[in-house]
């Protein structure tokens, strides 16, 4: 899907719940994806970890390719890698529609974000909870969205850090109403509304979705809670 079309789609569908496959049953990947499609998921979030930028290893290019063969949903690929520049082209070829890199790995990300855009993917810039917002502020024009981490990148199932809320609110003011904001980590029934109220459009949820038997019910519930809080904010 062309970048502008995907961004417009997400903008109009917001708030969107993005299931993170990190918490899925990888032994049954195709079935998990089918269930998420049937549950009304509009996008899938894929976490790539190298055991160096973060202390955990998840999966790589072949798994993204396999997911791509299993669905037409947009793939939001979150690179938690020390050297993301080496792998952007490969993940794009594998089927990534959105590619996010971390400011902590690439302190001046202008060239890399341009490269991501040049591949035809949506370019995202992410920051961990301890990283101050000013580190990304100068690069907003070089990216299509910011992914605010509400846990330290590396593991699913961690507790939400409210520092993300201040960052989302500030970014919403800085970047304006049309700019896509995403939040990732510890999103559940208790936190999703606060993130939507603070300005998040795309809310990534791993364990909150996969710990339930009925993905449709939890995705709808999270979406409704986000919608409610977003609406009451306006
Ligand atoms: C953490 C990942 C997240 C993770 C979220 O480094 O970036 O996408 O899957 O998992 P939960 O929703 O369980 O915090
Ligand atoms: Zn992620």
């Amino acid at each position: 899907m062309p970048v502008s079309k995907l961004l417009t789609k997400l903008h109009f569908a917001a708030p969107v719940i993005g299931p993170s496959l990190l918490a899925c049953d990888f032994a049954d990947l195709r079935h998990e994806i089918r269930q998420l499609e049937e549950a009304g998921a509009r996008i899938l979030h894929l976490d790539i970890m190298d055991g160096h930028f973060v202390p955990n290893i998840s999966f790589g290019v072949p798994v993204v390719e396999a997911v791509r063969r299993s669905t037409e949903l947009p793939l939001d690929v979150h690179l938690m890698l020390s050297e993301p520049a080496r792998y952007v082209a490969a993940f794009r070829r594998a089927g990534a529609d959105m590619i996010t890199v971390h400011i902590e790995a690439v302190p001046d990300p202008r060239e890399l974000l341009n490269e991501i855009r040049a591949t035809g993917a949506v370019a995202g810039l992410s920051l961990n909870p301890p990283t101050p917002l000013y580190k990304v502020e100068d690069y907003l024009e070089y990216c299509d969205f910011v992914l605010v981490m509400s846990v330290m990148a590396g593991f699913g199932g961690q507790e939400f850090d409210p520092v993300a809320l201040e960052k989302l609110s500030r970014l919403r003011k800085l970047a304006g109403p049309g700019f896509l904001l995403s939040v990732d980590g510890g999103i559940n029934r208790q936190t999703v509304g606060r993130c939507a109220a603070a300005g998040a459009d795309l809310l990534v949820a791993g364990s909150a979705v996969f710990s339930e038997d009925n993905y449709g019910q939890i995705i709808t519930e999270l979406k409704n809670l986000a919608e409610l809080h977003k609406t009451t904010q306006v």
Side-chain angles (χ1 to χ4, degrees):
M1 190 182 298
V3 171
S4 56
K5 199 170 164 202
L6 176 52
L7 285 169
T8 309
K9 253 184 126 167
L10 288 171
H11 181 69
F12 284 107
V16 171
I17 306 301
S20 162
L21 292 184
L22 193 61
C24 83
D25 177 2
F26 286 102
D28 209 1
L29 186 55
R30 194 189 288 271
H31 183 235
E32 291 278 60
I33 292 169
R34 183 66 41 79
Q35 279 189 281
L36 291 170
E37 286 177 340
E38 285 167 7
R42 311 287 293 256
I43 192 164
L44 300 178
H45 182 91
L46 281 74
D47 289 299
I48 315 298
M49 304 180 182
D50 66 354
H52 188 263
F53 177 70
V54 290
N56 195 10
I57 296 178
S58 56
F59 52 82
V61 170
V63 173
V64 177
E65 273 169 4
V67 173
R68 176 74 297 157
R69 278 186 272 114
S70 311
T71 184
E72 290 188 1
L73 287 175
L75 303 183
D76 171 24
V77 173
H78 177 189
L79 298 183
M80 287 162 271
L81 310 176
S82 293
E83 294 188 75
R86 290 178 61 184
Y87 303 98
V88 157
F91 281 106
R92 175 63 180 153
R93 274 197 304 274
D97 297 285
M98 301 166 70
I99 299 178
T100 299
V101 296
H102 269 261
I103 191 75
E104 300 85 4
V106 192
D108 181 346
R110 283 175 290 190
E111 201 180 320
L112 185 53
L113 292 167
N114 282 336
E115 273 174 40
I116 294 172
R117 281 176 161 176
T119 69
V122 173
L125 185 58
S126 185
L127 73 168
N128 271 320
T131 304
L133 196 58
Y134 75 82
K135 300 258 184 191
V136 302
E137 282 177 8
D138 286 346
Y139 306 118
L140 297 181
E141 65 190 283
Y142 295 89
C143 62
D144 301 302
F145 74 108
V146 172
L147 172 60
V148 176
M149 291 305 297
S150 36
V151 299
M152 195 66 188
F155 297 91
Q158 302 180 75
E159 198 179 325
F160 180 82
D161 185 336
V163 75
L165 298 172
E166 298 154 34
K167 289 179 180 170
L168 288 166
S169 305
R170 175 101 189 98
L171 279 166
R172 179 53 72 219
K173 287 196 189 89
L174 270 176
F179 190 79
L180 185 68
L181 291 179
S182 183
V183 64
D184 182 6
I187 301 300
N188 55 35
R189 290 182 181 88
Q190 285 70 45
T191 56
V192 72
R194 290 154 77 198
C195 291
D201 307 293
L202 174 55
L203 303 111
V204 175
S207 40
V209 171
F210 289 99
S211 62
E212 302 278 331
D213 292 329
N214 187 332
Y215 300 162
Q217 199 174 314
I218 181 68
I219 290 174
T220 305
E221 205 178 317
L222 293 174
K223 159 103 178 153
N224 288 344
L225 283 166
E227 198 103 54
L228 184 73
H229 288 258
K230 193 149 195 150
T231 316
T232 51
Q233 248 270 322
V234 177

